[in-house]
């Protein structure tokens, strides 16, 4: 019988390619916020998949992108740190598009790594191939960026190719005892995930109106036995005009956001939740280091 395998897998790629969707699907439970809007995942989070033969620890990194402002810088730093010391790098791309400058940038970073972990290129969203696109053609386009990578095509959403991907990952992990208890799914717990779920619900309804200038702070989180949990949270926007949009006419928008977030929190935790949301303006918070620090987005000084 072969030995138990265990190790870390950095899941990298541009925002919106399906990293969180894939990890949630593999774990069979929602541990990471999924959003049609980029940048919902703001912290590094572990997703732990344990099978009879292996324990795979996925490190979901915030999207890599050009650092437009301080928050962007933090996100990139986190993403690059996620690459050091892992056993496998899984680079997820949107296989229904052609590689662009950002993909090229990621390919350059990967080729420049001093110690190079086993690299898998996951060609995701193959359920979305347009007319005129062929799987072979898409594979070729991306394979050219990283000739040394092993290429797997999949749909994180409908499941096609997901199992093959997991097998390829496990094959390349070292023979080792598991690092985490066999029933542990993540290292972030409800209180840390809830702000992400609220942001996700808000971005779902607000679409392009309040792009990334939205932060969520939990003000109160108390268990009230039989009736469930009481969660009070504040949504921070950057401008007065955005406040009105988030609240909506007669408070309808905030109500919709709250109800959708509450459902997600309840389905994640399996108990009732009473969620109360408020909206406040914090001018230009993305460039305010104190604000970012209070929210745990710490910008580390380069050593
Ligand atoms: P992340 O930013 O890389 O973590 O991306 P998310 O997991 O948040 O997904 C971004 C969007 O792409 C969401 O609307 C997902 O439902 C969608 N998505 C993810 N994987 C697939 C896929 O395989 N096929 C299709 N059609 N959509 C997908
Ligand atoms: Mg994500």
């Amino acid at each position: 019988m072969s030995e138990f395998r265990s190790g870390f897998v950095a899941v990298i790629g541009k925002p919106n390619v399906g990293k969180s969707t894939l990890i949630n699907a593999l774990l069979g439970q929602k541990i990471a916020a999924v959003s049609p809007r980029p940048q919902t995942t703001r912290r590094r989070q572990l997703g732990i998949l344990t099978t009879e033969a292996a324990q795979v620890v996925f490190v979901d990194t915030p999207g890599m992108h050009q650092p437009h402002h301080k928050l962007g810088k933090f996100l990139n730093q986190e993403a690059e740190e996620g690459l050091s010391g892992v056993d496998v790098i899984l680079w997820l791309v949107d296989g229904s598009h052609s590689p662009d400058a950002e993909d090229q940038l990621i390919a350059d970073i990967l080729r420049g790594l001093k110690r190079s972990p086993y690299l898998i290129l996951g060609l995701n969203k193959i359920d979305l191939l347009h007319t005129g696109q062929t799987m072979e053609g898409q594979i070729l386009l991306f394979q050219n960026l990283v000739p040394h990578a092993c290429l797997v095509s999949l749909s994180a959403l409908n499941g096609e190719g997901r199992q093959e991907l997991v097998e390829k990952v496990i094959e390349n992990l070292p023979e080792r005892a598991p690092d985490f208890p066999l029933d542990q799914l993540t290292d972030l717990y409800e209180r840390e995930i809830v702000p992400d779920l609220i942001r996700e619900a808000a971005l779902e309804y607000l679409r392009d109106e309040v792009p990334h200038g939205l932060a969520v702070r939990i003000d109160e989180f108390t268990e009230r036995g039989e009736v469930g949990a009481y969660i009070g949270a504040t949504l921070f926007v950057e401008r007065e005009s955005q406040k009105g949009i988030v609240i909506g006419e007669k408070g309808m928008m905030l109500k919709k956001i709250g109800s959708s977030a509450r459902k997600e929190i309840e389905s994640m935790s399996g108990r009732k939740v009473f969620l109360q949301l408020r909206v406040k303006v914090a001018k230009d918070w993305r460039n305010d280091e104190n604000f970012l620090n209070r929210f745990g987005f710490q910008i580390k000084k380069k050593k």
Side-chain angles (χ1 to χ4, degrees), residues 14-21 33-36 41 124-125 127-128 155-157:
K14 288 190 299 191
N16 230 22
V17 295
K19 301 180 292 297
S20 300
T21 304
V34 175
S35 169
T41 310
N124 192 33
K125 306 201 185 185
D127 56 301
L128 290 182
S155 168
L157 205 58

Side-chain angles (χ1 to χ4, degrees), residues 10 19 37 42 45 47 69 71 96 104 114 126 141 147 159 161 171-172 189 193 199 213 219 234-235 242 270:
K19 301 180 292 297
R37 305 238 21 110
R42 298 200 150 204
Q45 177 178 21
H69 38 63
L71 178 60
S96 70
Q104 191 67 58
K114 284 182 208 84
I126 54 164
L141 285 176
E171 265 171 42
N172 288 286
Y189 290 96
I193 297 169
R199 277 191 89 239
D219 305 313
T234 303
L235 276 68
Q242 295 172 331

